[in-house]
Amino acid sequence: MAIPTEPIGSIPRSPELLGALAAFRSGELDEAAFADVRSRAVAETVRSLEAAGSPVVTDGEQAKPSFLTYPVDGLPGLSPDGVVLPFADGHQRQLPALASGPFRYRTYAAEYLRAARQHAGVPVKQAVVAPSALSLLYPPAGIDGYPREQFLADLEDEAEKDIRGCLDAGAHVVQLDFEEARLALKLDPSGGVLRDFVELNNRVLARFSEEERARIGVYTGPGADQDSTHSLDVDYAGLLPELFGLTAGNFYLQLASEPDPEKVLSIVAGHLPSGARVFVGVTDPLDPRVETAEEVRDRVLTAARHLPADRLGTCDDAGFAPFADDRSTSRETAFAKIRARVEGTALAAAELGL
């Protein structure tokens, strides 16, 4: 497409898959049977994305317990009392905490990518959790015999392995989910935590060549879970200058649900690194109403008034079910919004003469 368009990642899981996940975790379903259900869910999701016209697809994160915890799901040496993520509607998500070292991933995202590519006739992107998010697993009180410095060194090695595995397995692009960026400013308005996060992520990105970083992107947003956010009240103005200090080739930004998108776009235009492309959100997964293609077109045209068309792409504001148990959006609504995004982006490109 003249203006590229990509999904962010997750698609709501089917009732069959959610039922199988519960049965597997309770011991009522064995690994082989669960793998069969999971494989069918991935195949159906990829086919549905292609049927919606998506020129780039994902596995819909069908096999992930969440975008955040997939590397450590089932890992020994964790306790359940980690960092709490509070959402605006009052519900919470709680991370596990590392109880012992050394830190290693149990699952690498290339596993999901290879499964999706078996069914895809178009390029496949792969989302991975940013190392900054996993840095939250280390407890504030520390771990005897395993200092934080060693944990961070191990985390950087594992994050590099996760990203490189996806690049080597043929990912169209690898997207670092950096959703904690905006939340960091809410928890620490001074910006110190955010700067530490950016520095950590950049240390990992520095391990890749310029050509490889052109295939690495960073997503950020205010959270999306059960139709609620955790940091939409935080002004993008404090985040974007720091965010664009990341040495990635692509940036994916929530924008459709912003109260003042023109203000955000003007900040983007002033700070977007040379050579980088920004994908702006043009559909809102938290809004049950499906946008029309014409609404999407107008949002793209607004962005094109601030940004050169050759540095512009479109995406959804967030994944549609970043946590596996999120049933707030139906699969039908998700695919309808994706179709509107694809069609509206094409309408905008035509109007721009691209």
Side-chain angles (χ1 to χ4, degrees):
M1 295 182 68
I3 298 176
T5 188
E6 298 179 8
I8 289 302
S10 61
I11 298 293
R13 283 68 162 177
S14 67
E16 179 193 23
L17 180 57
L18 290 173
L21 176 60
F24 174 67
R25 288 183 168 170
S26 68
E28 300 171 38
L29 195 67
D30 64 27
E31 172 64 39
F34 181 48
D36 285 343
V37 176
R38 205 168 52 211
S39 180
R40 288 197 300 273
V42 171
E44 195 278 331
T45 298
V46 170
R47 285 195 298 267
S48 295
L49 284 167
E50 292 187 355
S54 188
V56 174
V57 300
T58 74
D59 71 338
E61 302 189 358
Q62 300 298 286
K64 284 183 179 180
S66 80
F67 81 98
L68 184 54
T69 60
Y70 73 86
V72 299
D73 189 52
L75 192 72
L78 296 176
S79 65
D81 54 346
V83 172
V84 172
L85 307 178
F87 285 79
D89 66 354
H91 86 275
Q92 299 178 338
R93 295 287 184 176
Q94 186 166 20
L95 301 181
L98 192 66
S100 62
F103 177 71
R104 298 289 185 270
Y105 284 18
R106 185 171 185 266
T107 302
Y108 297 91
E111 173 184 319
Y112 307 124
L113 174 66
R114 285 190 288 266
R117 291 193 74 204
Q118 292 179 16
H119 308 287
V122 298
V124 182
K125 73 181 288 187
Q126 182 59 53
V128 303
V129 63
S132 52
L134 293 180
S135 72
L136 297 171
L137 299 182
Y138 193 84
I143 298 173
D144 288 343
Y146 190 54
R148 181 175 176 81
E149 293 74 17
Q150 185 57 55
F151 162 73
L152 291 176
D154 291 340
L155 171 58
E156 290 170 33
D157 288 343
E158 291 297 280
E160 178 192 2
K161 185 176 179 180
D162 201 29
I163 298 166
R164 194 172 298 283
C166 295
L167 292 174
D168 291 346
H172 168 68
V173 68
V174 179
Q175 171 189 293
L176 273 66
D177 285 335
F178 189 24
E179 192 179 279
E180 67 280 8
R182 203 163 175 178
L183 181 60
L185 281 177
K186 186 169 187 174
L187 300 176
D188 174 22
S190 76
V193 171
L194 175 60
R195 287 189 291 274
D196 287 346
F197 282 171
V198 169
E199 181 183 353
L200 172 60
N201 292 338
N202 264 341
R203 289 203 300 269
V204 174
L205 290 170
R207 300 181 178 206
F208 296 89
S209 68
E210 184 175 348
E211 292 75 15
E212 289 168 332
R213 288 197 298 271
R215 292 170 56 204
I216 299 174
V218 176
Y219 163 73
T220 196
D225 183 43
Q226 299 179 15
D227 285 347
S228 187
T229 64
H230 52 52
S231 53
L232 186 60
D233 54 335
V234 175
D235 196 328
Y236 250 144
L239 170 62
L240 292 178
E242 295 289 342
L243 180 78
F244 289 135
L246 289 165
T247 57
N250 301 289
F251 293 89
Y252 303 85
L253 301 182
Q254 163 267 346
L255 188 64
S257 56
E258 277 297 307
D260 190 353
E262 297 261 14
K263 173 187 171 183
V264 176
L265 287 164
S266 67
I267 299 170
V268 172
H271 291 88
L272 184 65
S274 175
R277 184 186 295 271
V278 61
F279 290 72
V280 297
V282 291
T283 59
D284 180 5
L286 305 190
D287 184 350
R289 187 184 66 84
V290 176
E291 294 85 352
T292 67
E294 289 74 22
E295 285 177 283
V296 170
R297 174 202 63 199
D298 292 345
R299 289 172 177 173
V300 180
L301 294 176
T302 296
R305 291 199 297 269
H306 294 265
L307 298 160
D310 63 353
R311 302 181 68 195
L312 178 64
T314 66
C315 61
D316 309 300
D317 262 9
F320 288 90
F323 295 85
D325 62 357
D326 184 355
R327 305 184 189 213
S328 59
T329 301
S330 70
R331 285 174 70 84
E332 293 74 18
T333 296
F335 290 124
K337 284 177 172 280
I338 288 166
R339 181 179 294 279
R341 169 171 52 78
V342 173
E343 293 177 354
T345 302
L347 289 175
E351 188 153 330
L352 292 168
L354 302 175

